[in-house]
């Protein structure tokens, strides 16, 4: 038996393959063989020639089926198509399987089986009738997972059996595909979470040119350009109307920080605080990319994604889709870190002005609160969604930080300039996102002599 895509069928040596073929005897085949041997022994003891012939027939039949099935050579190819290859948690993907008989001889009865992890559902099995020479058969099945991760599909297996059901042989293709289950994202309202003084807030804005108020490199006049921007010296030099470029297509920056410290979260499972934080980080980075920001994902251990381009941020607009896919793939497999602090993330952030910082944090002790407060110094604006994991666990385990101390940690972050949004169990991120926008407005009003109103507590 041979195969094309996804790979060649795995066959052992002649001796090993024949041994495996005899190991493929079914219960019926073993029963026939045992009955034949018993009948032959009884015939020898009792001297019954007719019984001996019956025993030999019973014993030889399964052996003949094994040899015939082992000598059978089918030439088939198998392909697998996964649509889509990346799905959010709780969504379904469809797997299409196609078997082609590339030989001129028809096949016998085939059972097709694909190996899938148990979290994706039961193992799919299909029985294929006789496939004519040059014919094909197509089947499909669905997979679904409530747990994010990367799951291999395959290898594809074919099970052959003889017409009498005495023997079954399994042959495997060599290749497999991978299904990526990413965190579920939710659409977020368009809000201005950063101050205009830093040039952030609206993803469609552009920052001023790095060289100063005006770019000294002129360009040709275009219909609709403001005549006040005409660069007369360059116009006289080039003999055509030239204007000064006031803006560069430099994109506003946003860093999404995900706290993965194991000590910061209590509980596990799809409804745990950590999974909410992962889903929130995924929703935030997708939203900010759609708003035109150059976004990167940063974890507490200092790892930044995508890690290429300017200072680890996503590059041009054309790269946004690839960068989003890379960051979502990273969140699909992210787990708890062994480290106990945010210092490595702070070291990454203190390198330059990071623009907008959106953080999803777990429980914070006094030391980590101090580190998080220092992160604010290098950002244009900072928003922290802080989870009380003890309340998320339903009080099954004692809280790592008492409620009074947790409230004090929030106050310290606010005093450092953070917009702090406590996240109660079961909270919806869009509602908290709007709350962060209102808190930003209150902060600006307070800076202009108005009143401020930070909601306090884990409400």
């Amino acid at each position: 038996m041979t195969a094309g895509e996804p790979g060649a069928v795995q066959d052992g040596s002649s001796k090993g393959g024949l041994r495996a073929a005899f190991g493929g005897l079914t219960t019926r085949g073993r029963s026939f063989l045992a009955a034949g041997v018993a009948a032959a022994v009884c015939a020898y003891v009792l001297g019954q020639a007719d019984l001996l012939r019956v025993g030999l027939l019973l014993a030889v039949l399964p052996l003949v089926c094994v040899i015939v099935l082992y000598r059978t050579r089918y030439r088939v190819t198998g392909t697998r198509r996964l649509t889509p290859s990346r799905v959010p948690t709780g969504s379904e993907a469809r797997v299409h399987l196609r078997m082609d008989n590339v030989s001129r001889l028809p096949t016998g009865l085939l059972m097709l089986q694909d190996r899938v992890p148990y979290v994706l559902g039961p193992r799919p099995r299909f029985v294929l009738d006789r496939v004519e020479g040059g014919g094909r058969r197509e089947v499909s099945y669905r997979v679904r997972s409530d747990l994010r991760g990367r799951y291999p599909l395959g290898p594809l297996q074919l099970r052959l059996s003889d017409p009498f059901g005495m023997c079954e042989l399994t042959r495997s293709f060599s290749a497999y595909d991978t299904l990526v289950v990413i965190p579920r994202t939710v659409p977020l309202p368009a809000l201005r979470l950063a101050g205009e003084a830093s040039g952030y807030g609206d993803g469609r804005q552009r920052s001023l040119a790095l060289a100063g108020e005006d770019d000294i490199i002129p360009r040709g006049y275009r219909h609709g350009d403001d005549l006040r921007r005409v660069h007369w010296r360059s116009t006289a030099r080039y003999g055509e109307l030239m204007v000064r470029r006031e803006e560069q297509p430099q994109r506003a920056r946003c860093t999404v920080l995900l706290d993965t410290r194991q000590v910061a979260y209590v509980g596990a499972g799809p409804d745990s605080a950590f999974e909410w934080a992962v889903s929130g980080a995924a929703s935030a980075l997708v939203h900010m990319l759609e708003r035109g920001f150059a976004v990167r994902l940063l974890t507490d251990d200092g790892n930044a994604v995508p890690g290429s381009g300017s200072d680890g941020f996503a590059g041009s607009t054309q790269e946004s889709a690839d960068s989003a896919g890379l960051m979502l793939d990273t969140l699909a497999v992210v787990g708890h870190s062994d480290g106990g602090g945010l210092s490595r993330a702070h070291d990454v952030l203190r390198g330059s002005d990071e623009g907008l910082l959106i953080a999803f944090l777990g429980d914070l002790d006094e030391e980590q609160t101090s580190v998080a407060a220092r992160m604010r110094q290098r950002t244009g604006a900072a928003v922290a969604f802080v989870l009380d994991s003890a309340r998320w666990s339903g009080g099954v385990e004692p809280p790592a930080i008492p409620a009074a101390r947790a409230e004090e940690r929030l106050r310290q972050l606010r005093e450092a300039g953070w917009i702090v949004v406590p996240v109660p169990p079961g909270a919806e991120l869009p509602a908290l996102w709007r709350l962060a926008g209102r808190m930003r407005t209150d902060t600006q009003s307070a800076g202009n002599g108005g009143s401020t109103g930070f909601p306090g507590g884990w409400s």
Side-chain angles (χ1 to χ4, degrees), residues 215-257:
D215 194 337
I216 61 174
I217 303 177
R219 61 169 174 82
Y221 175 82
R222 299 171 185 171
H223 179 71
D225 284 340
D226 191 349
L227 293 178
R228 292 175 296 180
R229 307 307 305 169
V230 173
H231 196 272
W232 297 109
R233 183 179 302 176
S234 298
T235 299
R237 177 181 179 183
Y238 292 102
E240 61 176 321
L241 202 58
M242 307 293 290
V243 296
R244 293 170 294 183
R245 287 185 290 186
E246 187 178 29
E247 295 178 346
Q248 291 278 11
Q250 180 183 358
R251 304 171 68 195
R253 292 180 173 183
C254 174
T255 298
V256 178
L257 172 62

Side-chain angles (χ1 to χ4, degrees), residues 111-114 122-128 139 141 157 159:
M111 189 175 81
L112 189 64
Q113 177 177 276
D114 206 7
R123 179 171 297 182
R125 294 183 176 89
F126 305 94
V127 177
L128 304 181
V139 294
Y141 65 93
Q157 294 180 334
R159 180 172 295 181

Side-chain angles (χ1 to χ4, degrees), residues 198-340:
S198 299
Y200 303 100
D202 190 341
R204 292 188 293 264
Q205 287 184 338
R206 295 180 177 181
S207 61
L208 293 177
L210 299 179
E213 182 180 357
D214 295 327
D215 194 337
I216 61 174
I217 303 177
R219 61 169 174 82
Y221 175 82
R222 299 171 185 171
H223 179 71
D225 284 340
D226 191 349
L227 293 178
R228 292 175 296 180
R229 307 307 305 169
V230 173
H231 196 272
W232 297 109
R233 183 179 302 176
S234 298
T235 299
R237 177 181 179 183
Y238 292 102
E240 61 176 321
L241 202 58
M242 307 293 290
V243 296
R244 293 170 294 183
R245 287 185 290 186
E246 187 178 29
E247 295 178 346
Q248 291 278 11
Q250 180 183 358
R251 304 171 68 195
R253 292 180 173 183
C254 174
T255 298
V256 178
L257 172 62
L258 176 62
D259 182 7
T260 64
R261 296 172 299 127
Q262 189 170 9
V263 297
Y265 299 94
V266 177
D271 298 328
S272 64
F274 180 67
E275 293 301 322
W276 191 98
V278 173
S279 178
S283 301
L285 67 88
V286 170
H287 174 75
M288 300 309 293
L289 281 172
E290 292 174 350
R291 297 290 295 169
F293 279 74
V295 182
R296 72 173 174 183
L297 173 67
L298 179 65
T299 56
D300 58 286
D301 54 8
N303 293 327
V305 181
S308 60
S310 176
D311 297 330
F313 287 86
S316 62
T317 305
Q318 291 78 7
E319 299 175 358
S320 295
D322 295 337
S323 300
L326 180 59
M327 288 185 282
L328 290 176
D329 288 348
T330 301
L331 290 176
V333 297
V334 69
H336 289 295
S337 64
D338 297 332

Side-chain angles (χ1 to χ4, degrees), residues 33-48 51-53 55-56:
L33 183 60
V37 173
V41 172
C42 292
Y44 176 79
V45 174
L46 300 176
Q48 298 291 330
L51 183 60
L52 179 60
R53 287 192 287 269
L56 292 178

Side-chain angles (χ1 to χ4, degrees), residues 47-286:
Q48 298 291 330
D50 294 337
L51 183 60
L52 179 60
R53 287 192 287 269
V54 173
L56 292 178
L57 176 63
L58 293 177
V60 168
L61 181 60
L63 300 179
V64 172
C65 290
V66 169
I67 295 175
V68 171
L69 190 61
Y70 171 73
R71 299 284 297 179
T72 300
R73 291 292 183 268
Y74 294 138
R75 296 182 60 206
V76 296
T77 60
T79 58
R80 180 192 299 105
R81 181 166 53 90
L82 180 60
T83 54
S85 60
R86 182 190 292 119
V87 296
T89 55
S91 300
E92 292 184 344
R94 182 169 290 274
V95 183
H96 302 268
L97 304 176
R98 191 181 79 179
M99 300 299 300
D100 294 273
N101 184 9
V102 297
S103 67
R104 297 181 179 179
L105 299 177
T107 68
L109 189 67
L110 302 177
M111 189 175 81
L112 189 64
Q113 177 177 276
D114 206 7
R115 298 184 62 181
V116 300
Y118 72 95
V119 296
L120 299 182
R123 179 171 297 182
R125 294 183 176 89
F126 305 94
V127 177
L128 304 181
D129 295 332
R130 177 178 177 271
V131 182
E132 64 280 3
R136 69 175 56 173
R137 296 290 186 272
E138 294 185 6
V139 294
S140 65
Y141 65 93
R142 294 177 295 180
V143 291
R144 178 181 181 274
S145 175
D146 292 327
L147 301 175
R148 55 186 176 82
R150 295 173 60 91
Y151 301 103
L153 301 178
L156 192 63
Q157 294 180 334
L158 281 178
R159 180 172 295 181
L160 314 176
S161 62
D162 65 280
F164 300 100
M166 299 289 181
C167 180
E168 290 183 351
L169 296 181
T170 301
R171 294 291 182 262
S172 298
F173 293 88
S174 58
Y176 62 90
D177 293 313
T178 301
L179 174 67
V180 181
V181 181
I182 61 177
R184 180 177 295 276
T185 60
V186 294
L188 301 177
L191 300 175
R192 179 167 298 188
L193 296 179
E196 293 185 15
S198 299
Y200 303 100
D202 190 341
R204 292 188 293 264
Q205 287 184 338
R206 295 180 177 181
S207 61
L208 293 177
L210 299 179
E213 182 180 357
D214 295 327
D215 194 337
I216 61 174
I217 303 177
R219 61 169 174 82
Y221 175 82
R222 299 171 185 171
H223 179 71
D225 284 340
D226 191 349
L227 293 178
R228 292 175 296 180
R229 307 307 305 169
V230 173
H231 196 272
W232 297 109
R233 183 179 302 176
S234 298
T235 299
R237 177 181 179 183
Y238 292 102
E240 61 176 321
L241 202 58
M242 307 293 290
V243 296
R244 293 170 294 183
R245 287 185 290 186
E246 187 178 29
E247 295 178 346
Q248 291 278 11
Q250 180 183 358
R251 304 171 68 195
R253 292 180 173 183
C254 174
T255 298
V256 178
L257 172 62
L258 176 62
D259 182 7
T260 64
R261 296 172 299 127
Q262 189 170 9
V263 297
Y265 299 94
V266 177
D271 298 328
S272 64
F274 180 67
E275 293 301 322
W276 191 98
V278 173
S279 178
S283 301
L285 67 88
V286 170

